């Protein structure tokens, strides 16, 4: 599938502006491209009980599943730091659960047109699985 990178990053940036991160003050937006071609977004939602907070990627994946898609073709992540925001370990596993054969992960920071891009299996070479 062709990846609509500009639309993916624009959707992630809109979600980032809606992030709820009063504790870390680090805003993150994520957009996933489902197999239908639709884009699903999420942002980080923190909680005063810190471990209850959720990452942007978790929100975007939950939205994708609720909308009926099951396979992620690409993910765009944008954080409010200067450097590209890379997904945490748990989110790499979350992405892997719904990854296709070549799921691309694109990362950016605020005010950067630069992004790093990688295959999810390069970010998580030894994922957990039940065999
Ligand atoms: N965060 C994300 O939402 N996604 C990432 O890829 C990295 C980190 C959030 C979690 C927490 O709300 C804040 O950023 C600081 O870690």
């Amino acid at each position: 599938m062709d990846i609509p990178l500009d639309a993916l990053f624009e959707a992630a940036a809109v979600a980032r502006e809606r992030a709820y991160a009063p504790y870390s003050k680090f805003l993150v937006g994520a957009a996933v491209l489902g197999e239908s071609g639709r884009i699903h977004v999420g942002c980080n939602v923190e909680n005063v009980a810190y471990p209850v907070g959720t990452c942007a990627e978790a929100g975007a994946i939950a939205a994708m599943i609720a909308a009926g898609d099951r396979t992620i073709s690409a993910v765009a992540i944008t954080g409010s730091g200067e450097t590209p925001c890379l997904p945490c370990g748990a989110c790499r596993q979350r992405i892997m659960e719904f990854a296709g054969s070549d799921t691309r992960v694109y990362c950016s920071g605020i005010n950067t047109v630069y992004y790093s891009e990688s295959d999810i299996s390069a970010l998580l070479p030894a994922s957990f699985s039940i065999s």
Side-chain angles (χ1 to χ4, degrees):
M1 181 189 301
D2 282 344
I3 297 170
L5 203 49
D6 287 349
L8 214 52
F9 267 118
E10 179 56 30
V14 170
R16 188 187 65 205
E17 294 311 308
R18 296 174 178 155
Y20 178 77
Y23 306 105
S24 74
K25 314 239 186 299
F26 188 74
L27 310 176
V28 187
V32 300
L33 180 66
E35 78 270 20
S36 67
R38 286 175 296 168
I39 291 171
H40 313 279
V41 300
C43 59
N44 55 334
V45 182
E46 296 183 348
N47 193 282
V48 65
Y50 289 3
V52 182
T54 49
C55 285
E57 296 88 331
I61 290 169
M64 181 192 85
I65 294 300
D69 278 339
R70 287 290 184 274
T71 305
I72 298 172
S73 299
V75 188
I77 303 161
T78 182
S80 58
E82 288 296 331
T83 55
C85 177
L86 288 156
C88 74
C91 285
R92 294 176 196 208
Q93 182 73 41
R94 284 189 175 103
I95 294 165
M96 184 62 95
E97 183 80 18
F98 302 103
S101 56
D102 182 32
T103 296
R104 316 305 292 174
V105 180
Y106 301 88
C107 305
S108 85
I110 198 157
N111 296 332
T112 48
V113 291
Y114 164 83
Y115 58 83
S116 58
E117 178 254 345
S118 182
D119 187 313
I120 184 61
S121 61
L123 292 174
L124 188 66
S127 62
F128 175 72
S129 64
I130 299 172
S131 52

